[in-house]
Amino acid sequence: MLKNLYIYRYRTINFLKTFFSQIILILVSISCIFPLVWMFSAALKTQQTVFTDMSLFPKHPVWNNFVVAWTKANFGVYFFNSLFYTVVVVFGVIFIGSLAAFAFSRFKFPLRNFFYILFMATMMIPIPGSFISLYILLTKLNLINTRIGYILPQINGGLAMTIFMLKTFFDKMPKDLENAAKIDGCNKFRIYLHVALPLAKQAIAVMVIFTALGVWNEYLLAMLVLSSKTLMPLQRGLMVFQGSHMTEYPLLMAGITITIFPIVTIYLLMQKYIIKGVMAGAVKE
Amino acid sequence: MKKSIKYKDIFSSYLFVLPAIILFLVFSLYPIFKVVELSFFEWDGISKFTKFVGFKNFIDVLFSNKIWWKSVLNAFYITLIALTIQNGVALFLAFCCDKDIRGAKAYRVIFYLPPVLSGIVVGLIWNWIYDGSYGFLNHMLTVLGLGQYSRAWLADPKTALMAVALIHIWKGFGWGFIILLAGLQGISRDYYESAKIDGASSFQIFKNITIPLMIPIFFLVSILTILGTMQIYDLIISTTQGGPGYHTEVPITRILTTMTGTSRFGYACAMSLVFGAILLILSIFQLKVSKKIER
Amino acid sequence: MKKNFFNIFVLFCFLCICFGCNENKTNTNKIVIWHWMTDRDDAFIELANKYKNLTGVDVSFELYAPSEAYSSKVKAAAQTNTLPDVFSILGAKRDLASFINAGHVANLTSYMEENNNEWKDQFIPTSIEINEFKEGNPFDVEPGIYGVSIDFSSIQFLYNKTMFRNAGLDPENPPRTWNEFIDANKKLRAKGYQGIVGGFGEIWFLDCLTTIYAYNILGEEKFISTVKGETPYTDPDWVKVLSLFEELSKNNCFATGTISMINKTSEQTFANEKAAINYNGSWAVNVYSGMNPTLEYGVMAPPVYNSKRPMYVWGGNGSSFMVNEKSKHKEEVIKFLKWFTAVEQQNFLTDVTKNIPSNKNSLEYVDGVLKDFAKTSDNFITSWKYNIFEYPSVLEVLDKGIQSIIIGEKTPISVLQEVEQVKQKEMENF
């Protein structure tokens, strides 16, 4: 009898817990989804109805906006460019960043803390006019208006956070595994590649998402470094719809909707790794 | 013999950090050096002439620029809110999604949507929500019978900063969420299983297993929150432009106005160094606290 | 499998980088023009094509937007001497002066004045003034004209005719004096309409409004002497100027929240008939024709406060092209710019971009609401008409102070005391 009551109470509490959690989760979800829905519906309206027609799905949707946006913004060329920049920068940031983070976390070498603090400092000092110094530098290096000139500063820009983040995750890595690998005759690089990287899978997936998002949305640096239209990233296309005085909202929204797809796809791909890590965790094996 | 192994070890260690250090030396050091140099000069950003003024810029920023310190305080205020509410929400959501609550898969995708959104859309939507005459928030208040509280949220000095902070939280919790989730997912389920077998309640598991294992991640998230929030500005530019008066000014908007609006590059550089020092002190403080807790 | 993928990836990177370098070579025999005007880019390119067909000269317009990105690009290029043949400079006249003093901008006076001022005389005087430095200017710039204005804008009040009619006001006779203006606002409120909306969060709008009323109340002489630092800002006349904002605020003339609004939000409000009066620039004509073509609105010059003195209208902040002093084909560039600012091309630009042309003879071509904007062009004033320049930091405190006055946080006199303090400090510094 008493036992039943306990179970009953336990169930009620559990039910209430899930119930309230679900309510909060749903509310937050709505606030996250709404802007996307609004953006999509705005992309289907006209410049005249975009702020007057409050319906989420307009009666006469202008699907053509997407076509116009694609052609007017010249997305065909820019899309490839952005894809290329994103892949290269993400790869560079993760590779160089994880190497350094691993060394900072695992090895002892002179000036280790000095360099680590130096990297952290770049996250803290906002550099006004850094653009001007960068431009001077790139001109001297003859990298103005080249793809490398656009890629390298971005890799450098992503490094500090990557190192910081990955170091935290490497620090958590159990020492035993590393020692075991050492006994097996692995050199440092192989330990990094075969032990450390798989263990930090979640953190790396997170950094891939962060970096990709940053590169995908970048345009200030592109404007500074690049001048040929054939080298410009996607965001240059969106600029067409935003005059200094005049904004073509529906086309802009259609453009943004198009540009958001790849980045959401990257997120969907990566978040699998964040979750998968549990099952394939090396500790368990 | 032993010595050569040691050198070889150091050398191979350096190979790991070398690419990062080279990039840093080329692309970060020069701009930073330039900022430090310029902070001792008066320069308008264009002309060929610079005037050496010594520590004058720093002294002015530190001791006689009230507006600057107000902007720093504003940033602190937003940061405090972000640290508590934003990270609290992020942790709660990450915790829910870590457990197999119904719909967890969908939530994981949804919660990361705000950071993906373009700043233009965020600005448009929130300007509409906060609008004083036909805004969504006022409309909701009227419907709920709280019409007397309605106001122009971004133009009222009492609410402007809070309103901006709220947008920031909303836009930012996805970042914290995903890092925390990655951390939670990294904890081996064996710990939970064995604790459950030992008869520990879910709260005890949370307190004795999850929290200690998550402390480095908490530290990571909180420091990223501090650095990210203290340096916000694009949100402010697309909503209030620092107004009304100086109520929503933050350090970066001040630095930018000084640089482009008033064309005082040297002074702006001094501001950013002072600001960098503040962030550095904050980070070191954070580091100390987290080390103490970890012990 | 994994290795294969990696190899392909490396190859892919390599190829792209090679391509990237190849595309870098540019034709050195063409005129390169940098600008930031997204909405005019298509029209510019069309004109460039036309020019190529006419003369065989290649003109390439390169767009860099948004304006902050453009600004830093120009400043950076100036540091490395890599500015294009033609560019425009965003920002205050102080910045233009710095560019000139650093030797980046060609003095166009001789070209403007050749053949009996042929080129110069075709412009509206304000358009010349924008790019002109006079004798004794505070920046020590050699007197001359340093830019070619392609269009200009004016900032005035727009009003919704339908709402005026509904509130019992004559839509064809908008208020002309200050008191009429306040009355009109009261009537609009009584009808449940909101009054003035504007992008007052972008403080330079307040700048424009303050300056024209300061000229009207103080008179030119006193205004100039204040800027020169001879009359303090705490002068009773200045208090009167700022009290205007207090009066507007107390009479509930401002739309809710307009004080920290960005201009694009304020334009939405006016276009959707949520406010009756809008303080905005002539570019708004283009915005409203897109957002609400049925909007029935007119333009009214700022209402006069002191009828004994002239009431100016803010105007002139258009866009101009500067010629690079170090350009290799200066003569070609000048030829192109002369063609570019001739009536036919100016008419074309007016048609497509709906801006007020800088060519006098194209003014007749302007029609509709834009014509009302251009109508007062004799009364246009810019901050540099009298060769005087206020420190930007002083203006900032003044404008931010006005925001505080409007939300009832500060009084005019306390704001002016702060302004005067900053002014004193700046005068000591320089």
Side-chain angles (χ1 to χ4, degrees):
Chain A
M1 183 65 199
L2 200 66
K3 203 178 161 195
N4 274 346
L5 206 69
Y6 266 127
I7 291 175
Y8 184 68
R9 217 184 113 205
Y10 178 74
R11 276 189 186 155
T12 325
I13 289 177
N14 238 9
F15 172 76
L16 282 177
K17 253 195 206 159
T18 4
F19 180 73
F20 282 111
S21 306
Q22 281 289 356
I23 285 190
I24 296 176
L25 288 170
I26 288 171
L27 281 179
V28 177
S29 300
I30 290 174
S31 89
C32 295
I33 295 176
F34 174 74
L36 274 185
V37 176
W38 182 84
M39 181 176 78
F40 185 70
S41 84
L44 296 175
K45 292 170 187 168
T46 65
Q47 179 82 350
Q48 287 129 52
T49 56
V50 65
F51 293 115
T52 45
D53 179 3
M54 278 303 163
S55 60
L56 276 183
F57 196 84
K59 267 186 194 147
H60 308 285
V62 194
W63 293 102
N64 200 27
N65 276 344
F66 286 97
V67 182
V68 176
W70 180 275
T71 44
K72 214 177 158 192
N74 212 352
F75 273 156
V77 183
Y78 300 138
F79 220 89
F80 164 75
N81 285 337
S82 268
L83 207 64
F84 171 70
Y85 294 134
T86 309
V87 171
V88 176
V89 172
V90 166
F91 183 78
V93 166
I94 299 296
F95 184 64
I96 299 176
S98 60
L99 270 179
F102 185 63
F104 282 130
S105 164
R106 279 295 184 258
F107 307 151
K108 282 208 171 98
F109 52 91
L111 293 178
R112 185 180 79 156
N113 285 339
F114 171 76
F115 279 119
Y116 186 62
I117 290 170
L118 218 56
F119 277 112
M120 292 308 101
T122 52
M123 283 206 295
M124 290 160 198
I125 304 176
I127 307 180
S130 69
F131 273 177
I132 294 183
S133 325
L134 196 61
Y135 190 93
I136 297 173
L137 193 73
L138 291 172
T139 314
K140 278 181 189 157
L141 297 173
N142 227 344
L143 288 179
I144 282 292
N145 199 21
T146 62
R147 291 187 196 270
I148 316 177
Y150 181 53
I151 288 168
L152 289 183
Q154 288 198 77
I155 294 183
N156 178 51
L159 275 184
M161 190 170 158
T162 313
I163 292 176
F164 186 44
M165 171 115 181
L166 291 183
K167 186 181 176 289
T168 310
F169 276 77
F170 285 147
D171 282 345
K172 280 173 53 181
M173 211 172 79
K175 271 260 172 196
D176 319 349
L177 267 171
E178 199 187 328
N179 292 337
K182 255 185 201 161
I183 291 163
D184 285 353
C186 280
N187 65 13
K188 280 178 180 173
F189 187 73
R190 294 187 62 177
I191 297 177
Y192 155 80
L193 201 66
H194 296 301
V195 181
L197 280 191
L199 272 179
K201 214 182 244 167
Q202 292 102 335
I204 289 173
V206 170
M207 275 329 291
V208 169
I209 296 168
F210 284 7
T211 319
L213 182 62
V215 182
W216 196 256
N217 287 337
E218 205 295 321
Y219 60 90
L220 288 176
L221 187 68
M223 287 293 154
L224 188 81
V225 177
L226 308 171
S227 46
S228 313
K229 267 193 184 174
T230 45
L231 300 183
M232 292 276 192
L234 208 57
Q235 298 295 325
R236 165 65 175 79
L238 288 181
M239 286 299 142
V240 174
F241 309 122
Q242 305 166 69
S244 37
H245 298 308
M246 175 81 173
T247 305
E248 290 171 84
Y249 292 102
L251 292 181
L252 180 64
M253 292 307 144
I256 295 177
T257 311
I258 294 171
T259 59
I260 236 174
F261 265 106
I263 206 73
V264 172
T265 316
I266 290 182
Y267 176 67
L268 287 179
L269 287 176
M270 283 300 128
Q271 72 109 21
K272 267 190 200 149
Y273 286 98
I274 297 176
I275 308 307
K276 234 176 159 182
V278 189
M279 304 308 175
V283 187
K284 221 172 172 182
E285 289 159 21
Chain B
M1 182 62 199
K2 231 179 183 178
K3 220 173 189 181
S4 86
I5 289 177
K6 200 185 158 202
Y7 279 126
K8 218 177 149 190
D9 186 53
I10 289 175
F11 177 73
S12 64
S13 300
Y14 262 107
L15 276 184
F16 275 79
V17 278
L18 204 64
I21 290 178
I22 290 176
L23 271 179
F24 172 82
L25 289 181
V26 177
F27 291 104
S28 289
L29 201 64
Y30 177 71
I32 290 180
F33 172 72
K34 208 68 192 158
V35 169
V36 175
E37 185 198 343
L38 281 173
S39 62
F40 293 101
F41 287 90
E42 221 159 64
W43 184 48
D44 65 358
I46 303 152
S47 77
K48 294 209 162 78
F49 308 103
T50 48
K51 193 175 122 202
F52 183 77
V53 290
F55 284 97
K56 195 174 147 226
N57 287 335
F58 286 99
I59 292 168
D60 196 87
V61 174
L62 285 173
F63 302 112
S64 47
N65 197 335
K66 267 190 221 152
I67 293 160
W68 162 257
W69 287 110
K70 185 174 167 66
S71 77
V72 173
L73 272 185
N74 286 344
F76 268 117
Y77 177 83
I78 302 179
T79 306
L80 208 66
I81 291 177
L83 269 181
T84 50
I85 303 180
Q86 180 185 323
N87 289 347
V89 170
L91 181 64
F92 174 77
L93 298 179
F95 201 66
C96 286
C97 286
D98 183 50
K99 294 207 275 176
D100 281 326
I101 200 164
R102 191 174 290 173
K105 261 186 193 156
Y107 290 134
R108 272 177 219 145
V109 179
I110 293 167
F111 293 149
Y112 193 64
L113 290 175
V116 173
L117 270 184
S118 132
I120 304 159
V121 181
V122 174
L124 275 172
I125 295 220
W126 284 90
N127 274 327
W128 168 68
I129 289 176
Y130 284 141
D131 193 276
S133 41
Y134 55 97
F136 177 73
L137 187 55
N138 283 350
H139 181 73
M140 287 313 281
L141 284 176
T142 318
V143 169
L144 293 172
L146 298 165
Q148 73 268 29
Y149 293 111
S150 68
R151 63 186 79 204
W153 298 89
L154 288 169
D156 190 323
K158 281 191 225 96
T159 55
L161 193 58
M162 186 68 199
V164 171
L166 198 65
I167 309 178
H168 178 74
I169 291 177
W170 175 80
K171 182 119 171 68
F173 79 84
W175 298 86
F177 165 75
I178 182 174
I179 299 179
L180 289 169
L181 183 64
L184 285 172
Q185 293 276 314
I187 297 174
S188 170
R189 301 286 129 151
D190 299 350
Y191 293 136
Y192 293 151
E193 294 299 324
S194 50
K196 255 189 202 154
I197 290 166
D198 290 349
S201 73
S202 57
F203 178 73
Q204 277 171 327
I205 294 179
F206 181 70
K207 200 183 123 201
N208 296 328
I209 297 178
T210 315
I211 292 215
L213 282 170
M214 285 293 282
I215 279 182
I217 312 285
F218 289 151
F219 169 63
L220 173 84
V221 170
S222 59
I223 220 164
L224 289 178
T225 312
I226 292 177
L227 294 182
T229 311
M230 288 295 283
Q231 300 191 36
I232 75 165
Y233 77 98
D234 42 357
L235 196 72
I236 303 231
I237 300 224
S238 64
T239 50
T240 61
Q241 303 245 333
Y246 291 96
H247 287 288
T248 55
E249 290 278 0
V250 287
I252 303 284
T253 57
R254 292 315 299 162
I255 291 173
L256 287 175
T257 340
T258 314
M259 197 171 74
T260 55
T262 43
S263 292
R264 294 173 69 190
F265 251 75
Y267 194 83
C269 288
M271 277 172 151
S272 33
L273 285 181
V274 170
F275 189 51
I278 295 174
L279 292 184
L280 200 67
I281 292 168
L282 267 179
S283 312
I284 291 172
F285 177 72
Q286 259 258 318
L287 192 78
K288 287 264 150 76
V289 170
S290 81
K291 281 242 167 95
K292 217 171 225 173
I293 292 173
E294 260 175 271
R295 248 178 244 141
Chain C
M1 171 63 204
K2 236 181 188 173
K3 246 189 187 151
N4 256 344
F5 177 76
F6 186 76
N7 286 342
I8 292 169
F9 174 75
V10 170
L11 191 76
F12 172 76
C13 299
F14 181 72
L15 282 176
C16 291
I17 288 167
C18 290
F19 271 116
C21 295
N22 285 340
E23 282 158 21
N24 198 14
K25 282 172 194 141
T26 44
N27 179 6
T28 42
N29 275 327
K30 70 179 174 191
I31 299 175
V32 178
I33 302 180
W34 284 4
H35 74 103
W36 50 273
M37 294 160 263
T38 316
D39 32 10
R40 283 164 248 188
D41 196 41
D42 290 339
F44 286 166
I45 290 170
E46 203 173 327
L47 284 177
N49 288 337
K50 209 169 160 193
Y51 191 68
K52 190 174 181 188
N53 289 338
L54 272 172
T55 61
V57 178
D58 236 329
V59 181
S60 152
F61 280 95
E62 290 179 5
L63 166 72
Y64 299 101
S67 42
E68 313 92 69
Y70 176 80
S71 251
S72 38
K73 179 144 184 147
V74 168
K75 281 183 185 170
Q79 294 299 313
T80 47
N81 280 327
T82 48
L83 281 167
D85 304 296
V86 180
F87 55 96
S88 44
I89 293 170
L90 278 161
K93 200 156 186 183
R94 181 182 296 269
D95 293 329
L96 175 57
S98 298
F99 273 99
I100 297 169
N101 284 335
H104 296 300
V105 184
N107 186 341
L108 302 177
T109 320
S110 56
Y111 301 105
M112 284 278 179
E113 289 179 349
E114 66 190 4
N115 300 333
N116 254 336
N117 287 344
E118 193 188 10
W119 198 13
K120 188 179 174 180
D121 281 351
Q122 73 175 48
F123 289 102
I124 297 161
T126 327
S127 298
I128 293 289
E129 247 170 48
I130 297 167
N131 300 309
E132 192 177 23
F133 285 89
K134 291 176 183 152
E135 199 72 49
N137 64 76
F139 307 118
D140 298 323
V141 174
E142 186 193 330
I145 300 161
Y146 288 89
V148 180
S149 159
I150 51 166
D151 56 41
F152 72 99
S153 51
S154 148
I155 301 179
Q156 301 186 34
F157 285 105
L158 291 85
Y159 63 96
N160 186 316
K161 287 190 176 172
T162 323
M163 286 163 123
F164 262 49
R165 205 173 293 125
N166 292 347
L169 294 158
D170 182 358
E172 300 314 318
N173 272 317
R176 287 169 189 283
T177 67
W178 185 259
N179 288 335
E180 285 172 21
F181 186 57
I182 297 276
D183 274 347
N185 266 300
K186 278 181 187 158
K187 279 184 186 154
L188 288 164
R189 265 290 165 193
K191 188 79 191 163
Y193 293 142
Q194 299 204 86
I196 310 162
V197 74
F200 298 120
E202 301 174 31
I203 54 174
W204 56 275
F205 274 106
L206 290 171
D207 237 38
C208 307
L209 207 50
T210 323
T211 308
I212 51 174
Y213 280 102
Y215 268 117
N216 185 239
I217 291 171
L218 283 84
E220 283 149 39
E221 212 173 298
K222 203 166 182 180
F223 183 87
I224 294 167
S225 88
T226 318
V227 177
K228 283 187 174 160
E230 288 151 10
T231 307
Y233 271 102
T234 41
D235 189 275
D237 278 349
W238 272 102
V239 179
K240 220 185 265 172
V241 175
L242 292 209
S243 302
L244 295 183
F245 292 99
E246 202 176 29
E247 193 183 346
L248 285 175
S249 170
K250 279 192 178 140
N251 285 307
N252 218 352
C253 299
F254 287 107
T256 343
T258 187
I259 210 57
S260 61
M261 238 178 221
I262 55 170
N263 199 36
K264 282 184 178 170
T265 313
S266 93
E267 280 165 355
Q268 286 168 30
T269 313
F270 186 72
N272 295 328
E273 313 201 47
K274 300 258 165 55
I277 300 171
N278 178 214
Y279 188 61
N280 210 340
S282 41
W283 58 79
V285 176
N286 203 10
V287 176
Y288 296 143
S289 76
M291 270 167 56
N292 186 357
T294 56
L295 186 70
E296 208 192 327
Y297 65 102
V299 178
M300 65 172 160
V304 184
Y305 182 82
N306 182 350
S307 55
K308 285 173 201 136
R309 296 194 202 274
M311 184 75 214
Y312 291 118
V313 173
W314 188 270
N317 250 342
S319 31
S320 302
F321 284 140
M322 279 76 200
V323 179
N324 187 350
E325 172 76 14
K326 290 155 194 149
S327 164
K328 282 183 190 122
H329 3 260
K330 223 190 253 173
E331 299 299 320
E332 296 279 304
V333 168
I334 301 286
K335 250 185 231 157
F336 171 72
L337 288 177
K338 278 190 178 169
W339 177 81
F340 197 75
T341 49
V343 178
E344 200 188 327
Q345 282 63 252
Q346 284 271 300
N347 287 353
F348 171 77
L349 278 179
T350 311
D351 244 2
V352 181
T353 67
K354 301 216 170 54
N355 284 296
I356 308 176
S358 58
N359 190 316
K360 249 188 249 175
N361 306 316
S362 288
L363 271 186
E364 295 157 23
Y365 192 75
V366 177
D367 63 351
V369 189
L370 203 57
K371 193 172 191 166
D372 294 331
F373 262 111
K375 194 166 62 183
T376 40
S377 68
D378 296 337
N379 263 341
F380 280 177
I381 195 161
T382 55
S383 56
W384 44 79
K385 179 162 189 159
Y386 293 101
N387 226 3
I388 45 161
F389 307 91
E390 187 51 279
Y391 299 105
S393 50
V394 175
L395 290 179
E396 187 201 287
V397 178
L398 182 66
D399 298 336
K400 290 269 187 184
I402 291 173
Q403 289 187 338
S404 297
I405 291 174
I406 295 176
I407 53 177
E409 208 179 24
K410 284 177 183 165
T411 60
I413 186 72
S414 68
V415 168
L416 286 166
Q417 275 160 355
E418 284 169 28
V419 173
E420 184 60 21
Q421 258 177 21
V422 177
K423 174 91 182 168
Q424 293 297 338
K425 198 176 150 192
E426 289 285 2
M427 305 261 290
E428 278 164 30
N429 272 347
F430 289 93

